[in-house]
Amino acid sequence: MERVEPSKGAIKSWLKGKNLRDKDLIEGASKEALERSFPGIVAVIRRFIEMTESD
């Protein structure tokens, strides 16, 4: 695991040093890691799914 300062500049620099894009990290992340990293977005998506399944 690597630690990167949580600033836009530090993240951009780290990604550039690894020749990666933010999209690459998300595509390679596990479902569990994404759920931990973006709990609010996951909650909205789950609620949306619940609403569309009940129709």
Side-chain angles (χ1 to χ4, degrees):
M1 180 196 296
E2 295 185 47
R3 297 234 179 241
V4 179
E5 179 186 329
S7 70
K8 189 173 184 175
I11 294 168
K12 285 179 91 171
S13 178
W14 183 85
L15 288 170
K16 187 174 183 175
K18 301 284 183 184
N19 198 30
L20 294 170
R21 299 171 298 163
D22 51 359
K23 179 181 174 182
D24 299 323
L25 291 180
I26 293 170
E27 288 176 347
S30 69
K31 179 181 172 185
E32 293 78 18
L34 292 172
E35 288 174 344
R36 282 192 313 270
S37 299
F38 305 103
I41 294 171
V42 171
V44 170
I45 292 170
R46 285 189 175 139
R47 180 67 178 128
F48 179 76
I49 291 169
E50 289 171 4
M51 291 172 57
T52 58
E53 288 178 342
S54 65
D55 289 341

